[in-house]
Amino acid sequence: MDIIAYMYDFARTSKRSKNYRRSYLNLARKLSKFAEQHRLEITTETVNERVLEEFVDYMRHEGLMKSTIFCLVTRVKTILRRMQADNIHVNRSCFDFCVESEQGNAIYLTSDEVRQIAALQIKKREVAIIRDVFIIGCLTGMRYSDYVALTSSNIVNNTIVRRTKKTGETVVIPIHPLVRNILNVRGGDFPRYCGSQTNFNRRIKNVCKRAGVKGEVLVERTVGTRVQRKRIKRYTLVGSHTARRSFATNLYLSGVSAGRIMLLTGHKTEDAFFRYIRIGKEENAKILSEHSFFK
């Protein structure tokens, strides 16, 4: 069976989000260009480990980032597993094929920085709404698609209860005092943001800059076959998903066990959870210096 045709059909009929479907359309286009350049047929009979290796080499020469290549290969394997579930024979060696991932440059905001952002005086109504929605994300640990959609109906017995959009997992989260303040100011309801996520990310970077989010981060990215390094301002790395990472990291640093935090974030495995924890080596050493072992 033609894998690219199957992928196009999957992207057209899937009930998942528009961005999710678009990611598979993008993959199908890349596979089509690769197949045309290498004069290959991308079918369940022809695709094996060797073809995947050639696809990865093709993407490197196209200048794609290492992290992007990892995601694209993962999606190829996801499609092959779906085909297998539909009783379509695929070459199982593809599932053993792996490419090295790259540690992301995502950051987290400290609890003090979250309070600074919450205390910032903002005159523009849209920006104030974005700031409040972001603070709620920082103190609930939800994904953007969930914390941006909260309403008063999600408040149950002084907790926030929501069935998550991505996994269907129901999470129950205590209401933080800063979240309670936002609710009180807004008449007991959550702020409603109806704009795009792109606009949200652009605005929240500026809010963080104004609130005094300081420092620089050394960013390393493998683009094609070369490693690029540069230092950039921390606030430029803040986006909608920084809220969830900040929640998980700050709770973990405060001494709450990973298991309890996972009940709030909805993570199924510790491996997935610890990918959210963003603690630098210097910060880790500073924290451990207070441990009884080093006294």
Side-chain angles (χ1 to χ4, degrees):
M1 178 172 283
D2 189 316
I3 295 173
I4 296 174
Y6 183 95
M7 202 174 294
Y8 274 119
D9 185 63
F10 168 72
R12 180 177 58 82
T13 60
S14 173
K15 303 299 182 183
R16 300 288 290 272
S17 70
K18 186 176 181 180
N19 286 340
Y20 182 85
R21 298 195 305 272
R22 188 183 293 123
S23 69
Y24 281 92
L25 287 173
N26 178 51
L27 172 59
R29 294 188 190 103
K30 281 183 169 54
L31 275 171
S32 294
K33 289 181 180 179
F34 162 72
E36 182 179 352
Q37 181 173 313
H38 287 71
R39 298 181 180 179
L40 292 172
E41 290 186 349
I42 306 299
T43 71
T44 50
E45 290 185 0
T46 60
V47 171
N48 52 28
E49 279 191 276
R50 182 184 61 79
V51 171
L52 290 179
E53 285 176 359
E54 290 180 0
F55 182 47
V56 168
D57 186 63
Y58 162 79
M59 289 189 286
R60 284 177 181 148
H61 282 88
E62 286 291 301
L64 270 64
M65 291 194 300
K66 194 174 185 178
S67 56
T68 301
I69 294 172
F70 174 82
C71 289
L72 290 172
V73 171
T74 299
R75 287 182 190 131
V76 170
K77 292 197 281 188
T78 296
I79 285 295
L80 292 176
R81 288 192 177 92
R82 287 187 67 89
M83 297 181 84
Q84 191 177 54
D86 287 340
N87 294 318
I88 301 169
H89 176 73
V90 300
N91 190 322
R92 293 184 61 84
S93 69
C94 295
F95 300 134
D96 297 325
F97 179 77
C98 296
V99 292
E100 187 179 351
S101 181
E102 187 168 55
Q103 179 69 35
N105 297 303
I107 67 164
Y108 82 99
L109 297 171
T110 67
S111 294
D112 286 342
E113 288 173 329
V114 172
R115 284 190 285 269
Q116 287 171 216
I117 296 166
L120 183 66
Q121 296 297 312
I122 299 176
K123 294 181 179 179
K124 290 186 178 180
R125 181 175 179 273
E126 182 195 29
V127 179
I129 289 173
I130 288 173
R131 185 273 308 277
D132 287 354
V133 169
F134 181 73
I135 291 298
I136 289 167
C138 288
L139 299 172
T140 61
M142 293 182 179
R143 297 178 182 86
Y144 173 80
S145 59
D146 291 313
Y147 70 72
V148 79
L150 289 172
T151 68
S152 57
S153 64
N154 293 112
I155 301 175
V156 181
N157 297 327
N158 206 36
T159 60
I160 299 171
V161 180
R162 179 169 172 82
R163 185 175 182 180
T164 58
K165 187 174 181 179
K166 182 178 180 179
T167 64
E169 180 83 5
T170 297
V171 294
V172 182
I173 303 159
I175 300 179
H176 190 279
L178 287 179
V179 175
R180 178 64 68 188
N181 289 344
I182 293 171
L183 292 171
N184 290 339
V185 168
R186 297 184 177 276
D189 205 354
F190 289 92
R192 300 293 293 167
Y193 172 67
C194 301
S196 69
Q197 190 170 359
T198 300
N199 179 61
F200 186 99
N201 287 336
R202 180 171 59 84
R203 296 282 194 177
I204 203 61
K205 284 177 173 59
N206 187 51
V207 167
C208 289
K209 180 181 180 181
R210 290 173 55 195
V213 174
K214 300 178 180 178
E216 292 185 340
V217 177
L218 176 63
V219 172
E220 295 188 3
R221 289 173 178 163
T222 304
V223 181
T225 57
R226 293 181 298 176
V227 177
Q228 297 180 352
R229 297 180 178 89
K230 63 177 180 179
R231 300 193 72 85
I232 61 176
K233 301 290 186 182
R234 282 180 66 242
Y235 70 82
T236 64
L237 291 174
V238 176
S240 57
H241 208 59
T242 307
R244 182 165 163 84
R245 294 186 185 279
S246 299
F247 176 83
T249 303
N250 286 323
L251 266 183
Y252 188 73
L253 288 175
S254 70
V256 179
S257 69
R260 287 189 179 276
I261 302 172
M262 287 166 62
L263 289 174
L264 301 179
T265 60
H267 285 103
K268 295 291 187 182
T269 66
E270 286 198 354
D271 181 59
F273 168 76
F274 278 110
R275 286 200 294 270
Y276 272 78
I277 303 301
R278 284 290 182 262
I279 305 173
K281 292 180 180 179
E282 291 181 2
E283 184 178 12
N284 182 60
K286 183 178 179 181
I287 293 168
L288 288 178
S289 68
E290 300 299 321
H291 192 279
S292 60
F293 180 86
F294 293 97
K295 295 295 184 181

